[in-house]
């Protein structure tokens, strides 16, 4: 069947070439639909539920809001997990669904459950809402809006009225979130003394505001043949306009009482939950554009860039827009690295082909397989909606794509050397002989990638696109090798294209190889001992190599997450952030810009307290750094500088995408998290502090941080109903007074253009916390009463945050790993914590983050690797029909792995998941040359040649194709192995394993296999 395809292709060569050209053009058209990004999106299928519960403490939010919603969401089909955070005034629940659940269906099911839960929530709690449908790669564009001439409120209003609508209308943009600025209110600040003098209660102020605002529809009035619309509008737009509102009409000789008589009317602002500062110049407004999950990042970014021209035109001249983070730069940088590596690898492959074939036309014929295979692979990716990124494109080796074509063309060269004529019939006969080994060799490489496609979890999302892309490229190359290559060879190659003698490089290799092969076949026992020693040495090296999950992509910029005292005010937090920015800009030459996000954004997708800040540090390109300065050294220098001049309670160094991935995957922004589960928050805190102390002593563990702030100070007021009743007040009225002291009571709305402004009723100026007892409150009976006489004031600590995982309380200790293997660090900590911080009864400790992903990946690889072994043996048995030759070729796999382990050790690289995928790929590549050589030995044995002579003859005749296939495969990965551009660190382990393994695998093919073949051939060797 396979041989028939080759013969048919040569006979119908013109038709085959035309069909190939048509297919290539169609595939190139389909490629235009391919979407691009920097990395695969490894985040899970999530739905975020946000609920505002103003005035409730974290433990009240947990009890009254979070738990009822968690119970209501329980049992939704396809939901695997729930995480939640309860903070002061807000609840955030993340429902994690199985990947196969449609995200829109997941949101619909959650929304339906929320409709049933709404009645169980306390009065005053806003209806739960869903966060935007985005993922770890969703934050694509950040910028600040500032002006020295405008107030924070004016800046925020400009952003919300002129910037946000423009950007939200961009196709692919799902949310535009903001930090900083102020939200204006029209405040009615009741004066307690005046209210007491006139006997005005807080409720009367609310009623006066409500009576002074509103609209009324009057239908229309006739105006001759036309009509005029009629309506009434009461929307006071200035404080003085509202001041005339009636509180109490004139009665018993007393004049009418208006708002201005008992209250101060002025512009105010709602209490802020976040702020932003930039480059040491003070506060600004920070905006973040989020992309719809699964959209084309480059296309969305292009549309955002185009719309930003309209945004700048819509803003006044004094307002400046400064870009903080632009994901398109990272996408372009990573794709540039991928393209550069592919092109360099392609050039090396083509150079080797020319050098070993000695024919320009033949070299171009083989090289043409590369673009044709790639265009078919890209078309397949577009049809299957697999984005092009660092992983899916970066692992394709041009050398692998031409291996089948190399064997085909080399067979023509070898068979035609010295022949007088080279016609289509001769080419068909020569290529027919190697068609079967080519098919099974490429099939082995292809099949080892199939189990990778079945991976799930984070490792599946990371490597499935890569495996799918390689499989499609290899399928294309295999079809081309069996059809296009023989047809093109019959059309293009003539006797004059075949050199009269072997090229210089081949003759030199043969001169070195011949005596070495004779020595190896003369002393097979010594060869066997050396091979076994190499395998044992490789096993020992493997036992001592460190483990890591996936090499961290260098995104080019830094994020410093700072944490300060839990009771810090927003103003103080902004001042300290500004000071930190100035220190970095003045002390680190590589820092170009520094912008800080403090607290939570307007849409609280990232729930943070005012004590927390994300500091975005824009760095200069690596080429402009000081000589000899690496990323780890720069981070250490920044950490030391900030510890000296701008210290914080805790400081964690990460990167934008890395931070978002960690947060969405495990609820922690660090690489590794230790979750401590229990019910007593104080006990959990003590255990977390003890665990953090142990972790800080572990080499390689850095940025250790308890992912929950210490207890905050709380003043809780409990109405004294009997005392309040003596002054004509109910407990509810006392609670309303407490609300009016700071946040105010929204009694109506007014409009300024399209801007909606709340009208708040407040009571006096916000008191200092220490003077709360002395606040004077007006009573309906005309008395001024100290607040402590109406309510008992209880002061004490309260939890700042309550964290849940599957409805269980937990506290998280997070840390990053630098300068050591992640697996070694965590394994060492497990032993240390078991000895020093044993978990008491009812408490359990669970490791998460990248370590959890690493453990899950190991468990999946535990069956993937055996599946690869079975696939290889199955194909070899199918190819040779006997077990002995199949086992002989299979020895290439462990021997190749020795080279991969040695290469990792020499480059001080840990055994990461990228390296593990490299070993899987290597196992298939290593078998290819063994199949080619053993097929030739089998042919010679069938002709009656003794085993030893057949092995030597086959080794000499197959030396060139073995060298060519090994060299082109290895050289295709060399640029990835040596690359230093953006994203190179992710590709480096995989390429290092393959290149190192191909060296030892080629030695096995050319020396060990011929030496040991007579033994493996058994009785048949006795000839």
């Amino acid at each position: 069947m396979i041989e028939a395809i080759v013969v048919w292709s040569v006979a119908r060569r013109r038709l085959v070439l035309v069909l190939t050209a048509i297919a290539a053009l169609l595939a190139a058209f389909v490629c235009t639909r391919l979407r691009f990004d920097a990395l695969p999106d490894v985040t899970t299928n999530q739905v975020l539920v946000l609920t505002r519960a103003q005035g409730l403490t974290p433990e009240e939010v947990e009890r009254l809001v979070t738990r009822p919603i968690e119970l209501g969401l329980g049992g939704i089909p396809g939901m695997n997990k729930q995480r939640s955070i309860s903070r002061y005034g807000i609840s955030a629940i993340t429902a994690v669904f199985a990947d196969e659940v449609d995200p829109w269906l997941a949101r619909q099911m959650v929304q339906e459950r929320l409709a049933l839960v709404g009645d169980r929530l306390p009065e005053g709690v806003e209806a739960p809402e869903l966060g935007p449908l985005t993922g770890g790669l969703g934050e694509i564009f950040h910028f600040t809006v500032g002006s020295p001439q405008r107030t924070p409120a004016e800046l925020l209003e400009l952003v919300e009225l002129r910037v946000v609508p423009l950007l939200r209308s961009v196709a692919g943009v799902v949310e535009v979130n903001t930090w900083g600025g102020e939200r204006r209110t029209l405040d009615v600040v009741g004066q307690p003394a005046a209210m007491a003098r006139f006997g005005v209660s807080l409720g009367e102020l609310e009623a006066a505001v409500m009576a002074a605002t509103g609209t009324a529809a009057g239908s229309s009035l006739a105006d001759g043949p036309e009509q005029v619309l009629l309506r009434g509008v009461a929307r006071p737009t200035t404080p003085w306009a509202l001041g005339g509102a009636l509180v109490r009409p004139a009665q018993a000789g007393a004049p009418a009482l208006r708002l201005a008589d008992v209250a101060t009317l002025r512009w105010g602002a709602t209490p802020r939950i976040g702020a932003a500062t930039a480059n040491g110049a003070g506060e600004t407004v920070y905006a973040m554009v989020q992309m719809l999950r699964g959209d084309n990042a480059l296309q969305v970014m292009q549309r955002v860039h185009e719309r930003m021209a309209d945004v700048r035109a819509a803003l006044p001249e004094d307002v400046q827009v400064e870009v903080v983070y632009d994901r398109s730069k990272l996408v372009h940088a990573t794709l540039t690295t991928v393209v550069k590596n592919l092109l360099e690898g392609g050039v090396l492959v083509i150079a080797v082909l020319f050098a070993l074939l000695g024919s320009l036309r033949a070299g171009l014929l083989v090289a043409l397989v590369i673009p044709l295979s790639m265009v078919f692979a890209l078309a397949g990716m577009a049809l299957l909606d697999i984005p092009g990124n660092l992983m899916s494109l970066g692992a394709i080796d041009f050398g692998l794509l031409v291996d089948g074509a190399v064997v085909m063309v080399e067979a023509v060269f070898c068979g035609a050397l010295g022949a007088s004529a080279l016609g289509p019939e001769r080419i068909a006969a020569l290529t027919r002989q190697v068609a079967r080994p080519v098919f099974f060799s490429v099939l082995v490489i292809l099949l080892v990638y199939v189990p990778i496609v079945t991976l799930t979890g984070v490792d599946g999302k990371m490597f499935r696109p890569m495996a799918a892309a390689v499989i499609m490229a290899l399928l294309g190359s295999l079809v081309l090798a069996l059809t296009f290559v023989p047809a093109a060879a019959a059309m293009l190659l003539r006797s004059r294209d075949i050199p009269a003698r072997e090229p210089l490089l081949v003759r030199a290799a043969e001169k070195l190889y011949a005596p070495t092969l004779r020595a190896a076949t003369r002393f097979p026992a010594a060869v066997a001992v050396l091979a076994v020693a190499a395998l044992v040495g490789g096993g020992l090296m493997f036992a001592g190599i460190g483990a890591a999950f996936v090499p961290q992509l260098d995104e080019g910029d830094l994020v410093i997450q700072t944490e300060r005292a839990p009771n810090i005010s927003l103003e103080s937090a902004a001042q300290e952030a500004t000071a930190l920015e100035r220190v970095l800009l003045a002390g680190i030459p590589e820092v170009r810009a520094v912008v800080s996000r403090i607290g939570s954004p307007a849409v609280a997708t990232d729930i943070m307290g005012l004590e927390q800040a994300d500091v975005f540090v824009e760095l200069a390109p690596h080429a402009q750094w000081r000589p000899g300065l690496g990323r780890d050294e720069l981070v250490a220098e920044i950490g030391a500088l900030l510890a000296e001049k701008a210290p914080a309670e805790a400081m964690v160094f990460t990167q934008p995408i890395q931070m978002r991935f960690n947060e969405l995957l495990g609820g922690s922004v660090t690489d590794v998290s230790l979750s401590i589960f229990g019910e007593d928050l104080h006990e959990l805190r003590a255990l977390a502090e003890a665990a953090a102390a142990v972790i800080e002593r572990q080499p390689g563990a850095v940025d250790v941080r308890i992912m929950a702030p210490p207890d905050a100070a709380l003043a809780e007021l409990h109405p004294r109903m009997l005392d309040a009743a003596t002054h004509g007040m109910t407990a509810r009225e006392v609670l309303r007074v407490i609300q009016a002291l700071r946040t105010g009571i929204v009694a109506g709305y007014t409009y300024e253009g399209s801007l909606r402004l709340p009208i708040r009723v407040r009571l006096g100026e916000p008191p200092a916390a220490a003077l709360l007892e002395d606040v004077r409150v007006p009573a309906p009976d005309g008395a001024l009463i100290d607040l402590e006489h109406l309510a008992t004031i209880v002061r004490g600590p309260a939890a700042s945050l309550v964290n849940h995982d599957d409805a269980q309380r937990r506290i998280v200790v997070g840390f990053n790993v630098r300068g050591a293997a992640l697996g070694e660090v965590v394994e060492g900590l497990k032993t240390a914590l078991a000895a020093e911080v044993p978990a008491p009864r009812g408490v359990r400790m669970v490791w998460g983050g990248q370590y959890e992903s690493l453990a899950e990946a190991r468990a999946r690889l535990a069956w993937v690797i055996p599946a690869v072994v079975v696939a290889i043996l199955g194909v070899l048995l199918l190819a040779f029909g006997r077990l002995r030759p199949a086992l002989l070729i299979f020895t290439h796999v462990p021997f190749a792995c020795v080279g991969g382990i040695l290469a990792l050790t020499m480059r001080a690289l840990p055994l990461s998941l990228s390296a593990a995928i490299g070993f899987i790929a290597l196992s298939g590549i290593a078998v290819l040359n063994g199949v080619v050589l053993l097929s030739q030995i089998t042919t010679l044995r069938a002709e009656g040649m003794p085993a030893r002579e057949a092995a030597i003859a086959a080794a000499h005749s197959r030396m060139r194709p073995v060298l060519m296939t090994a060299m082109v495969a290895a050289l295709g990965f060399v640029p990835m192995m040596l690359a230093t551009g953006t994203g190179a660190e992710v590709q480096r382990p995989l390429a290092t394993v393959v290149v190192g393994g191909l060296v030892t695998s080629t030695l096995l093919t050319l020396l060990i296999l011929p030496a040991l073949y007579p033994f493996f051939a058994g009785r048949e060797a006795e000839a």
Side-chain angles (χ1 to χ4, degrees):
M1 176 65 179
I2 301 168
E3 293 87 346
I5 293 173
V6 173
V7 174
W8 179 88
S9 298
V10 174
R12 301 288 187 270
R13 49 191 175 277
R14 287 186 173 84
L15 176 62
V16 169
L17 295 182
V18 170
L19 292 176
T20 302
I22 293 173
L25 290 174
L26 290 174
F29 173 75
V30 174
C31 289
T32 58
R33 297 169 47 190
L34 184 66
R35 56 192 179 95
F36 294 95
D37 212 322
L39 287 169
D41 191 347
V42 300
T43 50
T44 48
N45 189 5
Q46 301 182 358
V47 179
L48 177 64
V49 180
L50 300 170
T51 311
R52 296 188 181 277
Q54 195 172 27
L56 297 184
T57 64
E59 290 190 78
E60 288 178 315
V61 171
E62 176 204 31
R63 183 174 66 254
L64 301 176
V65 180
T66 302
R67 285 196 185 278
I69 295 178
E70 286 177 336
L71 290 173
L73 297 182
I76 293 181
M79 190 175 73
N80 296 334
K81 193 179 190 62
Q82 287 188 76
R83 294 194 306 268
S84 68
I85 293 177
S86 301
R87 270 196 175 275
Y88 186 80
I90 192 164
S91 164
I93 298 173
T94 301
V96 182
F97 286 82
D99 291 335
E100 58 269 18
V101 176
D102 183 272
W104 295 106
L105 175 61
R107 293 171 69 86
Q108 179 183 342
M109 291 190 293
V110 169
Q111 193 68 67
E112 290 172 353
R113 291 293 185 91
L114 292 177
L116 300 176
V117 173
D119 295 340
R120 306 179 204 166
L121 300 180
E123 183 181 352
V125 173
E126 298 180 13
E129 59 183 17
L130 301 186
L133 178 57
T134 186
L137 297 175
E139 298 179 3
I140 58 173
F141 193 69
H142 303 193
F143 60 95
T144 60
V145 179
S147 170
Q149 304 176 22
R150 296 181 185 268
T151 65
E154 290 174 325
L155 284 174
L156 182 59
E157 289 166 8
L158 280 173
V159 170
E160 292 187 336
L161 293 177
R162 303 191 189 184
V163 176
V164 171
L166 285 172
L167 291 176
R168 275 186 176 164
S169 65
V170 173
V173 171
V174 68
E175 183 61 85
V176 181
N177 220 339
T178 59
W179 281 260
E182 289 183 339
R183 299 187 182 277
R184 274 196 300 156
T185 59
L186 183 53
D187 285 358
V188 178
V189 185
Q191 299 302 314
M195 292 173 64
R197 183 168 66 252
F198 291 107
V200 175
S201 67
L202 191 63
E204 286 181 284
L205 294 186
E206 292 182 61
V209 171
M210 295 173 66
T213 57
T215 59
S219 187
S220 61
L221 297 175
D223 185 15
E226 299 177 351
Q227 67 175 5
V228 176
L229 300 178
L230 178 66
R231 74 184 184 102
V233 181
R235 298 293 184 195
T237 57
T238 60
W240 64 264
L242 185 59
L246 187 67
V247 176
R248 189 181 295 161
Q251 54 186 356
L257 193 65
R258 293 174 173 80
L259 279 177
D261 297 327
V262 293
T264 300
L265 292 101
R266 64 188 183 201
W267 291 113
T270 58
R272 296 195 286 169
I273 60 172
T277 60
N279 296 318
E283 289 199 46
T284 185
V285 174
Y286 187 107
M288 176 180 69
V289 180
Q290 292 178 285
M291 179 185 75
L292 181 67
R293 183 176 181 182
D295 214 321
N296 190 322
L298 277 184
Q299 290 184 2
V300 176
M301 284 302 311
Q302 182 180 355
R303 292 192 286 263
V304 169
H305 289 156
E306 293 170 355
R307 186 54 57 88
M308 285 303 294
D310 299 333
V311 167
R312 288 184 170 90
L315 294 172
E317 291 185 1
D318 62 290
V319 177
Q320 296 85 36
V321 175
E322 300 291 340
V323 176
V324 175
Y325 176 71
D326 185 345
R327 258 269 308 290
S328 63
K329 293 181 180 178
L330 177 63
V331 176
H332 285 301
T334 53
L335 292 179
T336 298
T337 298
V338 169
V339 172
K340 178 174 178 288
N341 291 343
L342 290 176
L343 290 178
E344 290 176 351
V347 170
L348 289 174
V349 167
I350 294 171
V352 169
L353 293 175
F354 290 160
L356 294 179
L357 289 174
S359 168
L360 177 63
R361 183 174 292 189
L364 289 175
L365 169 59
V366 175
L368 194 58
V369 172
I370 295 175
L372 290 174
S373 300
M374 282 300 297
V375 76
F376 294 144
L378 294 176
M381 292 169 62
L383 291 174
L384 296 177
D385 197 28
I386 298 172
N389 53 50
L390 185 64
M391 297 305 300
S392 61
L393 296 179
I396 297 178
D397 177 14
F398 287 168
L400 293 183
L401 303 186
V402 299
D403 275 346
V406 164
V407 176
M408 283 286 190
V409 173
E410 199 279 336
V412 173
F413 270 53
C414 184
L417 195 62
S420 59
L422 183 66
E425 292 78 10
R426 178 64 174 159
I427 290 177
L430 292 171
T431 53
R432 182 179 181 276
Q433 294 176 4
V434 295
R436 187 176 178 85
V438 164
F439 174 80
F440 283 108
S441 299
V442 178
L443 184 63
V444 168
I445 302 175
L446 192 150
L447 286 179
V448 299
Y449 281 94
V450 171
I452 302 175
V453 180
T454 65
L455 290 175
T456 58
V458 176
D459 46 313
K461 293 184 177 71
M462 182 70 74
F463 292 102
R464 273 202 313 266
M466 178 207 75
V470 173
I471 287 173
M472 287 184 284
L474 286 172
L475 278 173
S477 72
L478 179 58
V479 172
L480 290 167
L482 297 176
T483 57
F484 168 76
V485 172
M491 285 285 292
L492 303 176
L493 295 183
R494 297 293 179 265
S495 297
R496 63 178 179 274
D497 297 316
I498 309 299
R501 56 188 300 198
E502 301 280 11
L504 177 62
L505 185 59
V506 176
R507 296 198 306 272
E510 176 66 31
K511 187 174 292 187
L512 291 172
Y513 178 53
T516 309
L517 177 62
R518 282 197 302 270
T521 54
R522 188 176 303 167
F523 304 104
V527 172
V529 170
L530 290 175
V532 171
L535 291 173
V536 172
L540 293 175
M541 283 188 292
F542 180 79
I545 201 168
F549 181 52
V550 176
Q552 188 57 55
L553 171 69
D554 184 353
E555 301 177 31
D557 295 326
L558 280 177
V559 177
I560 308 173
Q561 296 177 301
T562 62
E563 188 169 312
R564 305 188 183 278
N567 297 325
I568 194 170
S569 67
L570 185 140
E571 291 74 17
S572 297
Q575 291 172 4
E576 294 192 16
T578 300
L580 180 149
E581 292 161 4
R582 291 171 180 167
V583 168
L584 282 181
L585 289 169
I588 305 294
E590 288 73 19
V591 173
R592 282 187 169 180
V594 190
V595 180
S596 303
R597 305 186 318 199
I598 302 164
S600 298
V603 179
T605 54
D606 186 10
I607 298 183
M608 294 167 52
L610 296 178
E611 76 281 357
Q612 296 173 305
D614 292 335
V615 183
F616 281 75
V617 182
E618 181 186 354
L619 299 175
H622 280 272
Q624 301 176 18
W625 289 16
R626 284 165 284 168
L629 185 66
R631 187 176 186 85
D632 288 346
E633 291 79 11
L634 179 64
V635 168
E637 184 177 334
I638 291 175
L641 178 67
L642 294 180
E644 178 185 355
K645 297 187 176 180
E649 299 282 332
M651 203 173 294
V652 174
F653 291 86
T654 182
Q655 302 176 99
I657 295 178
Q658 178 187 359
M659 173 182 69
R660 191 64 177 152
F661 275 171
N662 289 339
E663 189 175 44
L664 291 178
L665 288 173
S668 167
V669 294
T670 53
D671 293 345
V672 185
S673 63
L674 173 63
S675 296
I676 306 175
F677 290 89
E679 283 302 314
D680 188 332
L681 292 177
H682 296 290
E683 180 184 40
L684 293 181
R685 182 80 195 187
L687 288 170
E689 291 173 350
V694 174
I695 294 171
E696 286 175 343
R697 300 198 303 266
Q698 178 72 25
V702 297
D703 306 333
V704 182
R705 173 184 176 189
I706 299 175
M707 310 297 290
D711 290 348
L714 174 68
E716 196 168 61
L717 285 76
H718 302 270
R720 299 164 60 175
M721 289 183 283
L722 291 177
D723 293 336
T726 61
H727 297 283
M729 297 179 70
T730 64
R732 189 175 188 82
E733 287 174 326
V734 174
L735 294 175
R736 299 285 278 178
V737 165
I738 296 168
Q739 182 181 355
L741 288 176
R742 179 68 178 97
T743 61
I745 301 167
V746 177
Y749 292 91
T750 187
Y751 290 84
E752 192 174 284
S754 57
L755 185 67
R756 187 187 191 214
L757 300 172
I759 303 175
R760 295 189 309 173
V761 175
R762 293 178 47 206
L763 190 61
E765 300 301 324
L771 303 176
L772 194 58
E773 288 86 352
D774 300 328
V775 170
R776 309 299 301 279
V777 176
D781 60 4
L784 268 176
I785 313 161
D786 289 341
L787 185 58
E788 64 179 348
H789 295 149
L790 296 175
T792 301
I793 302 174
V794 180
R795 300 176 187 273
S800 298
L801 176 148
V802 181
N803 200 324
H804 279 188
D805 191 302
D806 281 337
Q808 302 173 76
R809 282 181 169 183
R810 70 167 181 170
I811 191 167
V812 178
V813 183
F815 62 94
N816 293 328
V817 175
R818 285 197 294 272
L822 183 144
E824 289 182 351
V825 171
V826 177
E827 292 300 327
L829 284 173
K830 282 184 175 181
T831 303
L833 288 173
E836 300 183 44
V837 191
R841 187 175 181 82
V843 174
R844 60 191 179 94
M845 298 184 180
V846 178
W847 292 94
Q850 288 190 15
Y851 180 78
E852 181 183 19
S853 300
L854 175 62
E856 292 174 351
R858 280 175 169 170
R860 281 186 280 269
L861 289 176
W863 67 263
V864 167
I865 292 175
V868 170
V869 171
V870 170
I872 293 174
L873 283 174
V875 173
L876 293 177
L877 284 171
L878 186 63
F880 293 98
R882 290 179 299 159
L883 182 61
R884 281 178 179 266
L887 290 176
L888 179 58
I889 294 179
F890 186 76
T891 58
H892 284 66
V893 174
F895 209 81
C897 291
V898 170
I901 294 167
L902 179 62
L904 287 177
T905 304
M906 292 175 63
R907 303 198 71 191
L909 295 174
L911 181 61
S912 63
L913 193 55
S914 296
I917 299 299
F919 280 112
I920 292 174
L922 175 64
S923 63
I925 301 169
V927 168
L928 184 147
N929 282 333
V931 172
V932 171
L933 180 58
L934 196 57
S935 296
Q936 181 67 12
I937 295 176
T938 304
T939 301
L940 295 176
R941 294 279 288 129
E943 295 173 357
M945 188 177 290
R948 184 170 182 273
E949 285 75 5
I952 295 173
H956 280 293
S957 66
R958 296 288 87 190
M959 183 203 70
R960 179 164 65 173
V962 167
L963 281 180
M964 288 176 67
T965 53
M967 288 182 69
V968 295
L971 290 175
F973 276 115
V974 164
M976 301 181 200
M977 184 178 75
L978 303 178
T980 57
T982 302
E985 53 280 313
V986 178
Q987 298 175 312
R988 193 175 298 132
L990 188 152
T992 299
V993 166
V994 174
V995 173
L998 281 174
V999 173
T1000 53
S1001 172
T1002 304
L1003 289 175
L1004 174 66
T1005 302
L1006 293 177
L1007 295 175
I1008 302 176
L1009 191 151
L1012 300 184
Y1013 174 76
F1015 169 76
F1016 275 87
R1019 290 196 182 96
E1020 298 176 6
E1022 300 172 4

